[in-house]
Amino acid sequence: MKLHLLDRASSKHSSFTVSKNRYPNFLKVWHQHPELELVVIRKSTGTRFIGDSIEKFQEGEVVLIGKNLPHMWLNDEEYFQENSDLVAEAIAVHFTQDFMGPGFIKVPEMQSISKLFNRAEQGVKFIDLHVKVIEQIEELSSLAPFEKAVRFIEILHCLSRHENYRLLSSSGFVNSFNSPENENLDKIYSYIFKNFNTPIHSKDVAKVAHMNPSAFSRFFKRIHRKTFTKYLNEIRIGYACKLLIERKNSISSVCYESGFNNISNFNRQFKSIAGMSPTEYIKHHS
């Protein structure tokens, strides 16, 4: 997947934008932008890619994405069928960290929101968020400019105090995107995300990065604090979790669809990374 830079800038008449999107499917583009993005999924299901996190998404989820964090919502296959009457619907708020002015998040009263923005660098999924907060996000676009700005700050405050959340992307991925080797890493990540469920090896990725295999292995481990093989297995298991939750395939099918070439290695890696066996994972999410 090639990483695209999209223009999400607010108009000169607004400090942030609120969009209600309704399409046959979401934009099938792996992209990033300098604005933070708060998303409420109103309708549709599929796979969510945020940094190096690959998970199933469904209706009702609320996610905050930090600036320049690559992401994509990829709908399930049935959304792309010719005669499909399915709809993908979401509300997205795009804003910069200083949307209320350069010193906005530096004042003491905004410290909890500042910490929220720091967490958003990895992507934040809010769990069991009160329905009232979701309704307030949905109502933003109908408010007058002043009321909209005040309400949005209140929403951010509620999100910053919400304790039940999960960080999505690894800190290693985020840190690597802030490194001077970003351009080379872009090629590496694009290749990995496009081919992770095929038989790829570190030497294949090294070739894409124009590095010899040993130099690539040292480079990758320095950036991620883990080997390329471990990183690749984590990506594959993340995708396997998504497939198991969907319950469309047997465990053995999921094994091969995720890029593993034997079931025993798949089971071993799954338990090591997910903390439970594939069977236990299915029961836990049934």
Side-chain angles (χ1 to χ4, degrees):
M1 293 184 290
K2 179 176 174 56
L3 180 61
H4 295 264
L5 178 65
L6 297 189
D7 183 3
R8 300 300 194 192
S10 305
S11 72
K12 63 181 180 180
H13 302 295
S14 177
S15 57
F16 61 96
T17 61
V18 183
S19 305
K20 288 188 175 182
N21 304 310
R22 181 183 172 87
Y23 303 108
N25 49 72
F26 290 135
L27 186 65
K28 193 177 179 181
V29 175
W30 171 243
H31 66 281
Q32 65 180 150
H33 40 72
E35 296 80 17
L36 288 86
E37 180 175 348
L38 178 63
V39 180
V40 178
I41 303 295
R42 300 189 68 186
K43 290 183 180 179
S44 86
T45 58
T47 304
R48 170 177 21 84
F49 296 75
I50 295 183
D52 56 359
S53 168
I54 304 175
E55 297 180 346
K56 180 178 175 59
F57 75 83
Q58 54 193 2
E59 296 179 6
E61 81 169 29
V62 180
V63 172
L64 179 63
I65 306 168
K67 62 180 182 178
N68 293 320
L69 179 59
H71 56 282
M72 175 177 68
W73 271 262
L74 179 62
N75 286 117
D76 292 326
E77 290 181 9
E78 49 263 38
Y79 282 81
F80 297 94
Q81 294 175 0
E82 187 175 344
N83 298 321
S84 172
D85 58 356
L86 296 171
V87 172
E89 187 175 332
I91 295 172
V93 185
H94 293 94
F95 60 100
T96 59
Q97 287 196 165
D98 58 353
F99 74 99
M100 291 297 287
F104 167 62
I105 61 171
K106 295 181 181 179
V107 299
E109 292 81 1
M110 297 299 165
Q111 286 310 294
S112 66
I113 293 178
S114 177
K115 292 178 181 178
L116 173 67
F117 291 172
N118 290 336
R119 292 195 292 272
E121 291 179 0
Q122 291 178 248
V124 182
K125 179 183 177 182
F126 300 96
I127 302 168
D128 296 329
L129 193 61
H130 197 285
V131 66
K132 183 180 179 181
V133 180
I134 298 176
E135 290 173 350
Q136 288 178 332
I137 298 172
E138 293 177 340
E139 294 167 358
L140 277 174
S141 61
S142 64
L143 299 177
F146 179 79
E147 285 75 13
K148 182 168 69 172
V150 172
R151 177 65 57 83
F152 187 48
I153 293 174
E154 291 175 344
I155 290 169
L156 291 174
H157 176 69
C158 288
L159 295 177
S160 72
R161 303 301 293 268
H162 189 73
E163 296 181 352
N164 195 358
Y165 65 86
R166 188 160 53 80
L167 300 180
L168 299 175
S169 185
S170 70
S171 58
F173 182 96
V174 173
N175 292 338
S176 70
F177 256 74
N178 294 326
S179 77
E181 298 114 332
N182 186 297
E183 185 176 350
N184 211 20
L185 285 163
D186 182 18
K187 296 176 183 176
I188 292 170
Y189 293 134
S190 295
Y191 184 85
I192 292 173
F193 288 133
K194 185 178 180 180
N195 298 284
F196 71 88
N197 56 351
T198 66
I200 62 173
H201 304 280
S202 61
K203 63 180 181 180
D204 303 316
V205 189
K207 187 176 181 179
V208 171
H210 304 293
M211 303 172 72
N212 68 59
S214 58
F216 169 75
S217 295
R218 291 193 300 271
F219 167 76
F220 197 90
K221 192 169 184 179
R222 175 172 60 83
I223 293 293
H224 284 280
R225 303 291 189 268
K226 65 183 72 171
T227 65
F228 168 76
T229 300
K230 181 172 176 56
Y231 180 87
L232 178 62
N233 283 336
E234 288 176 353
I235 294 293
R236 286 172 168 170
I237 294 302
Y239 185 67
C241 288
K242 174 258 183 187
L243 294 177
L244 290 173
I245 291 173
E246 290 178 346
R247 304 183 73 178
K248 295 179 180 178
N249 304 293
S250 65
I251 291 175
S252 60
S253 295
V254 168
C255 162
Y256 296 109
E257 279 193 55
S258 303
F260 292 93
N261 55 17
N262 71 77
I263 192 71
S264 60
N265 184 41
F266 171 70
N267 287 332
R268 184 168 57 253
Q269 295 298 334
F270 196 100
K271 189 160 189 176
S272 173
I273 294 167
M276 61 185 77
S277 70
T279 302
E280 290 170 334
Y281 187 85
I282 292 172
K283 289 179 180 178
H284 182 74
H285 288 86
S286 60

